[in-house]
Every structure is written in structure tokens, then in C-alpha cells.
């Protein structure tokens, strides 16, 4: 899938509850440091047990946060719809990621390095 253009990224970021609170220069720096990734539906964004790589700002779309049990079943933790933030606990605490995050639909995500 095509990634969003620069103007689309700025518009999505400006509408994000957390990012919109930043000063314009700070927001520009965050966007510059990060990477916008467009995920198709049913794609895994992060996996339980991984080292924290990024903080994720969900700019569009929705995801489900879940755990996988040993028998293969899943335990739903929460559903998130844009604007949302995830992965911040692992990144701030420098601890392994505690859950899986999988897209429910096409999502634009700003990945900010941990």
C-alpha cells in the first residue's frame, strides 16, 4: 500500500489528540524523527516479548491489543481507534513488549523511536 504523503501526515498528526498538543516545531521534529507506516488489515504491528523499538501513534484506523495463550487462543485486552497511542509503557520502561497489537483495518501509524 502507498504510504501517506507529507501533507496527509501533517493533517493526520494535527488531528491526533496527543500530537496536536505539541508546539509546531516540536511536532515537525517528532514527525521527522519518526516513520509513517501504513499497515493493511490483519497485520501484526508489535509482538509480545519483543524489545521496545518505538512508541506508536495511531493516526488512522483501529487495532486490537491481545495476548496469545499457549494453546493458540487469544485474550483480548483492548481495542483502539485513532487517535491512540500504544507501546509507550515498554519504551519508557525499557521492558519487553507485553502484548501483541494487530490491525483491524488499514492503519497509518507514526512510529517514534524508543
Amino acid at each position: 500500500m502507498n504510504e501517506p504523503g507529507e501533507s496527509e501526515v501533517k493533517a493526520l498528526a494535527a488531528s491526533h489528540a496527543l500530537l496536536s498538543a505539541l508546539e509546531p516545531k516540536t511536532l515537525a521534529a517528532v514527525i521527522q524523527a519518526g516513520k509513517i507506516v501504513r499497515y493493511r488489515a490483519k497485520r501484526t504491528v508489535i509482538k509480545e516479548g519483543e524489545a521496545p523499538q518505538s512508541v506508536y501513534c495511531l493516526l488512522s484506523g483501529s487495532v486490537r491489543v491481545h495476548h496469545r495463550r499457549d494453546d493458540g487462543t487469544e485474550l483480548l485486552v483492548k481495542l483502539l481507534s485513532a487517535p491512540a497511542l500504544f507501546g509507550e509503557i515498554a519504551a519508557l520502561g525499557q521492558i519487553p513488549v507485553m502484548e501483541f497489537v494487530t490491525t483491524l483495518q488499514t492503519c497509518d501509524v507514526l512510529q517514534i523511536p524508543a
Side-chain angles (χ1 to χ4, degrees), residues 52-101:
Q53 300 293 321
S54 301
V55 172
Y56 301 83
C57 292
L58 185 60
L59 301 176
S60 69
S62 57
V63 298
R64 63 190 175 93
V65 181
H66 57 96
H67 293 284
R68 288 199 182 139
R69 297 180 177 151
D70 291 338
D71 65 3
T73 60
E74 295 181 354
L75 175 64
L76 180 66
V77 175
K78 59 187 163 186
L79 299 173
L80 299 173
S81 183
L85 185 72
F86 58 93
E88 75 283 2
I89 300 299
L92 291 171
Q94 287 299 296
I95 57 174
V97 175
M98 295 182 280
E99 64 268 329
F100 286 86
V101 177

Side-chain angles (χ1 to χ4, degrees), residues 15-74:
S15 68
H16 190 280
L18 177 63
L19 298 177
S20 65
L22 299 174
E23 295 291 329
K25 286 184 180 181
T26 304
L27 177 58
V30 167
I31 291 171
Q32 181 73 27
K35 175 183 176 185
I36 298 288
V37 179
R38 179 166 282 170
Y39 291 93
R40 293 182 299 190
K42 300 181 182 176
R43 297 293 183 238
T44 300
V45 179
I46 56 177
K47 296 179 183 179
E48 186 174 358
E50 289 182 331
Q53 300 293 321
S54 301
V55 172
Y56 301 83
C57 292
L58 185 60
L59 301 176
S60 69
S62 57
V63 298
R64 63 190 175 93
V65 181
H66 57 96
H67 293 284
R68 288 199 182 139
R69 297 180 177 151
D70 291 338
D71 65 3
T73 60
E74 295 181 354

